[in-house]
C-alpha cells in the first residue's frame, strides 16, 4: 500500500518537475532580459558580444538550447539535466549542483528549527484558546494569529537586529551576534557532513562551534517563528474550536469519557490538517526566506537565487527552481505519509 | 466533517411561517463597522492608505495641488541622516509649522541621501497600494473567470487548464516573482503583472472548488429543470453564488501583495530607487541599522505592518460573516 | 457537593428517572434569548419505552440531552432538576455526573457516523468507554467490545471492531453506538432520532435489535423521533413537544385514537383522513383506458466509475406508464434508482439507453436544446426545499424565471400570473420579496411548486417533496398537490420512501430495488397483497402509524437479511437481485435473471415463483 502510494506520488512528482523545468526554461527566455549584455557590459563590441553569446550557447535556437539543457542530442560539451548535471554558473563558473548542495542545507536547517518551534508553541496556545473560547487567552491568541499571520518578516528581522544586537550592546547586555553569517570567523567550522551546522558540530564533537552556531541561529529562527507561528496558531485554534463542537466530541462526553480522554480525542483530530499547513510553509519558505537570509548573511539557497536572478544567470535560476521544487515535493510526500498515519480516512 | 448546528437555533418558525434568523445583509457592514473594533480599525486604516495614494496619484498624473507631503519625496533636502526630533518637542514644532508658518521639521528624520522619511512614508502608498490593489483585482477577475469555466464545464480542455494552474501554484512564490520582475525590467506595471500571475491560481482554485460544490446544489438542477440554457445556469445562477470565497480572499491577497512588493524591493528585485516605496526605504536604511540609525527603516516598516494587518482584519471580518 | 447531600425523598419511588421543570435557554446574538425547552417534566419507569415527538426545532433533542445534564454550547440549563436514583444530575459534581453518563444512562444519537471519532477504531472506542466506567484491563475491554458488537447483531465482530467509522454504513455505525451505550448495562437508554437517514428495512432491523437488547436488560428507553410510525410501533407512552413545551402526554393507544391537543391532531391529520370522505373528494378519478401521457421503456442509466471498467447500475431497464391526471408512486430504498429514474425522465441526467415518450414524442431522441423548449410542460419539484431555490433570489425572481424563459406574455400579464400562482399555492402576497432562507420549509416548498406549475405543465416529477418536512407540513403539501392535480389536470410521478404518503396520494405504485422495477400494481394491490418478496419485506418493515398492529406485537417480524449490495457491475447478484437477502429464495434464483411478467390480476412482478404461482399472494401484515 505505502510503497504503491510512494511510487505513484514520485511518478507524479517527476511529471511536475518536468513541467516546472520547461516552464522556467521558457519563462526566463520570453522575458526581455539580456544576460549577455549583463556579462560583457553595455560598451562591449559586437564581436565580444557575439563571442560571449556563443560561449553561453545563447546563439542557438530555443529548441536546441532546451536539448542542450536536457542533455539529449546536445551539440555542446558536458551533460544535461537528464544525466544529473545542472550545468555551470555563468557568473562563478562553478557546477551549479555543487553550489546548491552547499547552500540548500543552510536554509533547510533554519526553517526546520523555526517550523518545529512554531508548531510546539502553537499547540498549547491553540489548546488554551479553544477550550475557553472568548476568554483572555483566546482573544490574545486570536489577535496574535491575525496579526503575525501576515507581517513583513524582513522588517521584523531588522528590528530584532537593532534591538538585540545594537541596543543590547549599547546597554552592555549580553547581546545577539552581529548578523554576519552562521559562525564567528574565529570559530573553526566543523567538517560538513549533513550541512546542518548544529548536527555537524555535534558529530565532530566541536561544542564551541555548536554553541556559536546556535547563538547565530537564534535571531533568524526567532524571526521566522515570529511570522510563521501566527498562521499555525490561527489554523489550530479554528480546528480545535470546530472539533470541540463536533458530534463525536459531544458524543464522547455523553458517553462519559473522562475529560483528559476527550482532550486527546480533540487534539488528534485538530492536529492532522495543521500538519499539512506546516508542509506548505516548508515549500513556501524554501524560496521565500530570501530576505531573512540576506539580513543575517546566512548564505542559503535564497541568497543564491537572488544573486543568480539579478545576474541573469539562466542555468543557476533553472537549477535553483528545480531543486527547490524537488525538495518541496519530497516534503509534501513525507507530510502526507505522516498525515495518513494519524488519520485513517486519508488513503494511499 | 459536518457540524450539525444546534437544532434549537436552526429554525424557530413563528406562526406566520417566517423563520426568525438573525439577518445579515449589505447594511450590516456599517453596523459591523460600528460594533467591531478590529474591523473598524482595519477599514479606517485601509481608507487612510487609499486616500494617501489617491492624493499623490492625482498630483503626479493630473498636476492637481493634492500633494500633502511636507517635502518632495523624490528630492534630497541636503540634510543627511537627520534623526527625528524628540517626541517632547513635537507639540511645539506642530504649532510652529501650522500657525507660525515655520519650515516643517523632518518628523521621521532624513535618510543618508537626505530624503525626508516622513514625506516618503506617506507618499509610498501610491506605489504599494496601486501595485497591490491592481494586482489583486486582476488576479481575482482572471482567476474567477477561469475558475468558473473550469468548474462548470468539466472536460479535457478545462482539466488541462487546471493542471497548468496547479503547476503555477506549486512554484515557489517568492522566487517566481523575483524572476518575473527582475528579468522583465523592474517597472511598476511589470510588478503588477508578475503579482497577478503569481496570485491568479489561488482564485482559480477557490472559485473552481466553490463552483463545483454549488453545481451539485439543488437550485442549479432546478435552474436546468426550469429550462435555462447552460450559459445562463453558469452566469446567472452559479457565478453569483460562487463569488464569496474570492471576495473574502481578495482582501488578504492585497495584504500579501503589499508584503511581496516590499519584499521584492527589499532584496533588490523590485522598484528602482528613489521611488518612494516602503520595502525600498527599509532596504536603503538596513545597512544603517547596525550603526544605530533606526529611523530610516522603522517608519516604513510600521506602515507596512499596519496596512497588511488592516487588510487581514477586514478580510477576517468579512469571512466571519459571509464565509 | 457530595452525593449524600443531594439525595432526595424521590429515591424511595421506583422511578428510573424523574425530570422536573427543566428549562434550557440559548442566548442569541442581537436577539432575545430563545427558550428551547420550557418546564420539561418526565417520569420514567423501569423497562418503559417512551417516545418524545415533535417537529425539528421543538426542543426535543435538547430536552433529551438535558436529561444527561448536557447542553450544547452556548446554551445553558436555566432551571429544573433531573433526579436519577434520587440524585440531581444537574447539581452534581461534574465528575460524578460523568460517571453516570455512559454507565447508568446510555445515549445514542442521530448522525451515527459523525458521532464516532474518525481516527480511532470502533472497537477501541467501545473499549475506551467501557474502561472509563469499569475496572478492567485493556484486553478485557477489547474482548467486551467484541462481545457487544456481536450482541447488537454485527456479523464478524472481530473484523468490524478494527474498522473506522468511515468504513461503516450508517446502519452499522448506529449499531456501534448502541454497543457503546449498552456496554455497561445502563438502566436508561436515551435515543435521539437513532434511525433518521436509515432505510426502512435497515431501520426495522435496527429498532428490532434495540428492542430485543433493552428487553433483555430491562432498561428504560427514551426515544426522540419525529416519525409517527416509530412511536406507534415501539413506544408505550408518548410526549408531544411543540415550541419547547410538552403539549400532550399519553399512552400510545389513546394518543392515536383520540389526540387531545390541537397540534397532535394536526400531525395525525393524514392518517385520520386516509379513509375519510375528505380524501375521497380530493382524489382525481383516472380513466384507466386512456392513452399514456408518459411512457418509459427499458430506461437504463449506468454511471461510469473513474479508472474502472465497471459501472454503477443506477437504473436497470425500468419500464412504466403514467396516464393523464394520474399519480404514480415510485417507491424503494436509497440506492434503488428511483431518484435517478425521475431525473432521467426529465433528462437532468442523460439516460444511457431506453426511450421516454411524452404523448407521441420520443423525448430521448431530442437534442438538448429541443428538449429545453419542452420543459414548460414537464416539470419537477425537489426534495430539499431550501436547496432547490437560488439563495439570492426572492420569491418574485424565482417565479418570474419560468415565465421569462417560456412565455410571450407582457410584463403586466406575467405579474398577474405570478399573483395567481401565489394564490394557487397559498403564499401570502406580502412575501413576494422574501428570500428562501427567510421562509419556513413549507413555504419554500410551496414556492418550488408554484415555479413548477407556472407554465401549465402536464406532468411533474415529485422527488420526495415531503421528506424534509414535518408531519404537519407534509399533510398540507400533500393536500395542496392533490388539489392542484384536480384543478389543473397534472399527472405526477411521486417518488418517495415514505409509504404512508404514497398510500394517501397515489393511484398506482412502482416498487424498485437495485435499479430494477420489481412490482407494478394499483395501490390496493401493492399495499394490501404485495406479491414480490421485496415488496412484502418493504411493506412489512415500513412502520405504518397504526397502533392496532404494532410491529413489536407480531410473532414474526419479517424483514430482509443484511444490507443492500452496492449496484456495481461485478458485485450485482448474477441471477435475481434479491438473492442472498430473500426469505423465499430457491436455488433457481441464484443464476436465473428475472423478467418483469404480468400476472393474473393485471400487475407486473419480477419473480418467477410468483409468476408461476409457486409463491402464494397473501394479505400483507404491514397494516
Amino acid at each position: 500500500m505505502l510503497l504503491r502510494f510512494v511510487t505513484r506520488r514520485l511518478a507524479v512528482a517527476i511529471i511536475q518537475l518536468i513541467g516546472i523545468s520547461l516552464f522556467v526554461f521558457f519563462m526566463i527566455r520570453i522575458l526581455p532580459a539580456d544576460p549577455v549584455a549583463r556579462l560583457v557590459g553595455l560598451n562591449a563590441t559586437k564581436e565580444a558580444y557575439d563571442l560571449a553569446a556563443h560561449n553561453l550557447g545563447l546563439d542557438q535556437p530555443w529548441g536546441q538550447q532546451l536539448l542542450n539543457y536536457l542533455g539529449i542530442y546536445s551539440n555542446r560539451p558536458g551533460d544535461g539535466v537528464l544525466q544529473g548535471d545542472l550545468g555551470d554558473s555563468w557568473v562563478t563558473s562553478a557546477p551549479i549542483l555543487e553550489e546548491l548542495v552547499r547552500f540548500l542545507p543552510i536554509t533547510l536547517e533554519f526553517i526546520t528549527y523555526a517550523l518545529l518551534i512554531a508548531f510546539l508553541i502553537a499547540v498549547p496556545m491553540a489548546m488554551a484558546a479553544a477550550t475557553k473560547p472568548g476568554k483572555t487567552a483566546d482573544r490574545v491568541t486570536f489577535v496574535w494569529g491575525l496579526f503575525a499571520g501576515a507581517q513583513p518578516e524582513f522588517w521584523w528581522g531588522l528590528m530584532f537586529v537593532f534591538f538585540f544586537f545594537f541596543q543590547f550592546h549599547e546597554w552592555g547586555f549580553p547581546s545577539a551576534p552581529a548578523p554576519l553569517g552562521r559562525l564567528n570567523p574565529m570559530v573553526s567550522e566543523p567538517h560538513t557532513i549533513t550541512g546542518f551546522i548544529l548536527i555537524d558540530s555535534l558529530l565532530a564533537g566541536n561544542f564551541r562551534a555548536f554553541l556559536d552556531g546556535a547563538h547565530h541561529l537564534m535571531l533568524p529562527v526567532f524571526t521566522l517563528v515570529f511570522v510563521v507561528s501566527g498562521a499555525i496558531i490561527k489554523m489550530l485554534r479554528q480546528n480545535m474550536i470546530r472539533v470541540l463542537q463536533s458530534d463525536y466530541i459531544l458524543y464522547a462526553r455523553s458517553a462519559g469519557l473522562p475529560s483528559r480522554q476527550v482532550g486527546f480525542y480533540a487534539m488528534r483530530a485538530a492536529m492532522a490538517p495543521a500538519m499539512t499547513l506546516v508542509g506548505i510553509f516548508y515549500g513556501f519558505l524554501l524560496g521565500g526566506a530570501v530576505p531573512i537570509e540576506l539580513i543575517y548573511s546566512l548564505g542559503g539557497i535564497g541568497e543564491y537565487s537572488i544573486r543568480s536572478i539579478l545576474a541573469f544567470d539562466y542555468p543557476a535560476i533553472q537549477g535553483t527552481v528545480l531543486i527547490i521544487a524537488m525538495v518541496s515535493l519530497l516534503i509534501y510526500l513525507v507530510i502526507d505519509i505522516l498525515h495518513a498515519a494519524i488519520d485513517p480516512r486519508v488513503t494511499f | 466533517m459536518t457540524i450539525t448546528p444546534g437544532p434549537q437555533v436552526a429554525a424557530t418558525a413563528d406562526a406566520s411561517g417566517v423563520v426568525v434568523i438573525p439577518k445579515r445583509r449589505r447594511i450590516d457592514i456599517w453596523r459591523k463597522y460600528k460594533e467591531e473594533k478590529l474591523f473598524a480599525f482595519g477599514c479606517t486604516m485601509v481608507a487612510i492608505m487609499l486616500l494617501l495614494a489617491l492624493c499623490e496619484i492625482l498630483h503626479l498624473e493630473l498636476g492637481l495641488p493634492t500633494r500633502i507631503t511636507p517635502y518632495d519625496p523624490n528630492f534630497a533636502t541636503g540634510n543627511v541622516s537627520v534623526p527625528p526630533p524628540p517626541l517632547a518637542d513635537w507639540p511645539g514644532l506642530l504649532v510652529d509649522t501650522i500657525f507660525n508658518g515655520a519650515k516643517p521639521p523632518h518628523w521621521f528624520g532624513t535618510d543618508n541621501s537626505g530624503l525626508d522619511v516622513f514625506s516618503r512614508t506617506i507618499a509610498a502608498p501610491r506605489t504599494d497600494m496601486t501595485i497591490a490593489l491592481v494586482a489583486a483585482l486582476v488576479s481575482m477577475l482572471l482567476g474567477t473567470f477561469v475558475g468558473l469555466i473550469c468548474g462548470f464545464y468539466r472536460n479535457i480542455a478545462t482539466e488541462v487548464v487546471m493542471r497548468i494552474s496547479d503547476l503555477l501554484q506549486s512554484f515557489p512564490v517568492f522566487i517566481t516573482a523575483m524572476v518575473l520582475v527582475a528579468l522583465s525590467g523592474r517597472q511598476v506595471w511589470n510588478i503588477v503583472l508578475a503579482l497577478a500571475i503569481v496570485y491568479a491560481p489561488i482564485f482559480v482554485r477557490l472559485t473552481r472548488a466553490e463552483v463545483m460544490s454549488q453545481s451539485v446544489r439543488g437550485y442549479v438542477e432546478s435552474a436546468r429543470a426550469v429550462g435555462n440554457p447552460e450559459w445562463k445556469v453558469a452566469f446567472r445562477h452559479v457565478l453569483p453564488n460562487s463569488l464569496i470565497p474570492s471576495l473574502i480572499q481578495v482582501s488578504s491577497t492585497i495584504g500579501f501583495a503589499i508584503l511581496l512588493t516590499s519584499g521584492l524591493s527589499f532584496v533588490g528585485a523590485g522598484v528602482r530607487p528613489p521611488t518612494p516605496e516602503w520595502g525600498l526605504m527599509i532596504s536603503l536604511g538596513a545597512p544603517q541599522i547596525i550603526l544605530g540609525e533606526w529611523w530610516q527603516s522603522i517608519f516604513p516598516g510600521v506602515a507596512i505592518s499596519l496596512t497588511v494587518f488592516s487588510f487581514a482584519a477586514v478580510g477576517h471580518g468579512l469571512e466571519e460573516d459571509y464565509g | 457537593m457530595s452525593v449524600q447531600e443531594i439525595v432526595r425523598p424521590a429515591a424511595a419511588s421506583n422511578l428510573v428517572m424523574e425530570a422536573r421543570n427543566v428549562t434550557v435557554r440559548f442566548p442569541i446574538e442581537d436577539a432575545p434569548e430563545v427558550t428551547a425547552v420550557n418546564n420539561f417534566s418526565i417520569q420514567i419507569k423501569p423497562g418503559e419505552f417512551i417516545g418524545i415527538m415533535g417537529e425539528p426545532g421543538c426542543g426535543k433533542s435538547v430536552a433529551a440531552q438535558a436529561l444527561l445534564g448536557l447542553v450544547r454550547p452556548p446554551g445553558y440549563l436555566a432551571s429544573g432538576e433531573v433526579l436519577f436514583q434520587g440524585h440531581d444530575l444537574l447539581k452534581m459534581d461534574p465528575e460524578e455526573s460523568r460517571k453516570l453518563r455512559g454507565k447508568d444512562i446510555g445515549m445514542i444519537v442521530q448522525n451515527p457516523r459523525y458521532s464516532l471519532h474518525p481516527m480511532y477504531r470502533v472497537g477501541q472506542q467501545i473499549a475506551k468507554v467501557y474502561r472509563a466506567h469499569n475496572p478492567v484491563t485493556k484486553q478485557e475491554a477489547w474482548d467486551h467490545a467484541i462481545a457487544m458488537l456481536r450482541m447488537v447483531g454485527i456479523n464478524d465482530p472481530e473484523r468490524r471492531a478494527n474498522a473506522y467509522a468511515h468504513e461503516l454504513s450508517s446502519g452499522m455505525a448506529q449499531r456501534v453506538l448502541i454497543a457503546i451505550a449498552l456496554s455497561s448495562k445502563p438502566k436508561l437508554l436515551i435515543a435521539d432520532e437513532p434511525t433518521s437517514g436509515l432505510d426502512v428495512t435497515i431501520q426495522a432491523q435496527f429498532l428490532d435489535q434495540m428492542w430485543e437488547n433493552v428487553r433483555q436488560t430491562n432498561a428504560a428507553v427514551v426515544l426522540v423521533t419525529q416519525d409517527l410510525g416509530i412511536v406507534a410501533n415501539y413506544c408505550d407512552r408518548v410526549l408531544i413537544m411543540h415550541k419547547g413545551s410538552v403539549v400532550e402526554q399519553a399512552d400510545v393507544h389513546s394518543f392515536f385514537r383520540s389526540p387531545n391537543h390541537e397540534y397532535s391532531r394536526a400531525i395525525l391529520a393524514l392518517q385520520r383522513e386516509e379513509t375519510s370522505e375528505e380524501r375521497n373528494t380530493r382524489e382525481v378519478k383516472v380513466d384507466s383506458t386512456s392513452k399514456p401521457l408518459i411512457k418509459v421503456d427499458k430506461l437504463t442509466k449506468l454511471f461510469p466509475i473513474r479508472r474502472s471498467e465497471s459501472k454503477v447500475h443506477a437504473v436497470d431497464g425500468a419500464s412504466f406508464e403514467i396516464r393523464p391526471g394520474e399519480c404514480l408512486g415510485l417507491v424503494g430504498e436509497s440506492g434503488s434508482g428511483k431518484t435517478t429514474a425521475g431525473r432521467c425522465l426529465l433528462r437532468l441526467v442523460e439516460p444511457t439507453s431506453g426511450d421516454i415518450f411524452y404523448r407521441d414524442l420520443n423525448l430521448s431522441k431530442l437534442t438538448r436544446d429541443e428538449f429545453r423548449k419542452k420543459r414548460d410542460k414537464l416539470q419537477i419539484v425537489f426534495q430539499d426545499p431550501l436547496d432547490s431555490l437560488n439563495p439570492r433570489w426572492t420569491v418574485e425572481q424565482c417565479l418570474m424565471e419560468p415565465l421569462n424563459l417560456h412565455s410571450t406574455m407582457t410584463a403586466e400579464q406575467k405579474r398577474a400570473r405570478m399573483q395567481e400562482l401565489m394564490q394557487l399555492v397559498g403564499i401570502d402576497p406580502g412575501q413576494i420579496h422574501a428570500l428562501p432562507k427567510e421562509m419556513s420549509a413549507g413555504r419554500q416548498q410551496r414556492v418550488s411548486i408554484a415555479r413548477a406549475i407556472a407554465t401549465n405543465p402536464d406532468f411533474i416529477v415529485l422527488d420526495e417533496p415531503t421528506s424534509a418536512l414535518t408531519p404537519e407540513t407534509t399533510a398540507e403539501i400533500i393536500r395542496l398537490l392533490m388539489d392542484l392535480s384536480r384543478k389543473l389536470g397534472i399527472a405526477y410521478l411521486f417518488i418517495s420512501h415514505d409509504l404512508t404518503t404514497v398510500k394517501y396520494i397515489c393511484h398506482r405504485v412502482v416498487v424498485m430495488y437495485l435499479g430494477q422495477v420489481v412490482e407494478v400494481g394499483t395501490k390496493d394491490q401493492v399495499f394490501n397483497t404485495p406479491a414480490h418478496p421485496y415488496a412484502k419485506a418493504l411493506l412489512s418493515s415500513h412502520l405504518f402509524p397504526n397502533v392496532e398492529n404494532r410491529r413489536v406485537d407480531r410473532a414474526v417480524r419479517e424483514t430482509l437479511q443484511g444490507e443492500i449490495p452496492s449496484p456495481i457491475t461485478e458485485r450485482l447478484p448474477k441471477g435475481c437481485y434479491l438473492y442472498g437477502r430473500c426469505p423465499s429464495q430457491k436455488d433457481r434464483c441464484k443464476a436465473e435473471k428475472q423478467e418483469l411478467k404480468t400476472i393474473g390480476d393485471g400487475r407486473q412482478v419480477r419473480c418467477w415463483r410468483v409468476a408461476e404461482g409457486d409463491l402464494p399472494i397473501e394479505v400483507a401484515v404491514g397494516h
Side-chain angles (χ1 to χ4, degrees), chain C residues 443-576:
Chain C
R443 295 291 153 112
Q444 292 160 2
Q445 200 61 302
R446 283 168 198 267
V447 176
S448 279
I449 292 170
R451 180 175 60 184
I453 62 171
T455 48
N456 282 320
D458 298 328
F459 172 64
I460 300 181
V461 174
L462 302 167
D463 185 7
E464 309 244 13
T466 59
S467 65
L469 306 178
T470 62
E472 191 186 6
T473 325
T474 298
E476 290 169 12
I477 293 290
I478 291 293
R479 284 192 212 115
L480 172 67
L481 287 169
M482 289 181 86
D483 290 344
L484 288 175
S485 171
R486 201 182 58 248
K487 283 186 211 155
L488 310 172
I490 308 170
Y492 295 136
L493 176 67
F494 188 87
I495 301 170
S496 180
H497 67 271
D498 179 8
L499 299 183
T500 314
T501 48
V502 172
K503 195 175 167 192
Y504 189 87
I505 189 173
C506 294
H507 301 95
R508 288 190 307 128
V509 179
V510 175
V511 183
M512 284 185 77
Y513 178 70
L514 271 182
Q516 291 186 329
V517 172
V518 295
E519 184 163 343
V520 184
T522 65
K523 176 179 73 184
D524 290 334
Q525 285 170 338
V526 175
F527 278 81
N528 297 336
T529 58
H532 193 279
Y534 176 73
K536 277 186 196 164
L538 187 69
L539 275 150
S540 145
S541 303
H542 182 75
L543 302 171
F544 287 96
N546 177 359
V547 276
E548 303 311 321
N549 182 3
R550 281 154 57 94
R551 187 167 169 87
V552 291
D553 298 335
R554 286 177 216 154
V556 186
R557 295 201 278 268
E558 203 167 289
T559 188
L560 295 171
Q561 298 297 307
E563 301 194 355
I564 306 172
S566 58
I568 297 169
T569 314
E570 62 267 21
R571 297 221 195 117
L572 282 173
K574 297 278 167 295
C576 175

Side-chain angles (χ1 to χ4, degrees), chain A residues 200-221:
Chain A
D200 283 351
S201 55
L202 277 186
L203 288 176
N206 185 346
F207 289 104
R208 224 180 128 217
F210 178 80
L211 289 178
D212 193 56
H215 194 201
H216 277 81
L217 273 173
M218 198 170 66
L219 274 192
V221 168

Side-chain angles (χ1 to χ4, degrees), chain A residues 60-111:
Chain A
Q60 316 265 351
W62 283 1
Q64 185 60 47
Q65 288 186 36
L66 180 64
L67 292 178
N68 294 347
Y69 170 58
L70 293 175
I72 31 178
Y73 301 112
S74 174
N75 61 4
R76 288 168 61 80
D79 290 336
V81 175
L82 295 179
Q83 289 87 32
D85 186 350
L86 297 178
D88 296 340
S89 162
W90 290 350
V91 178
T92 63
S93 302
I96 289 160
L97 194 61
E98 255 172 49
E99 294 193 306
L100 287 174
V101 165
R102 198 162 69 241
F103 295 133
L104 181 66
I106 297 173
T107 304
L108 271 181
E109 177 170 32
F110 90 100
I111 63 179

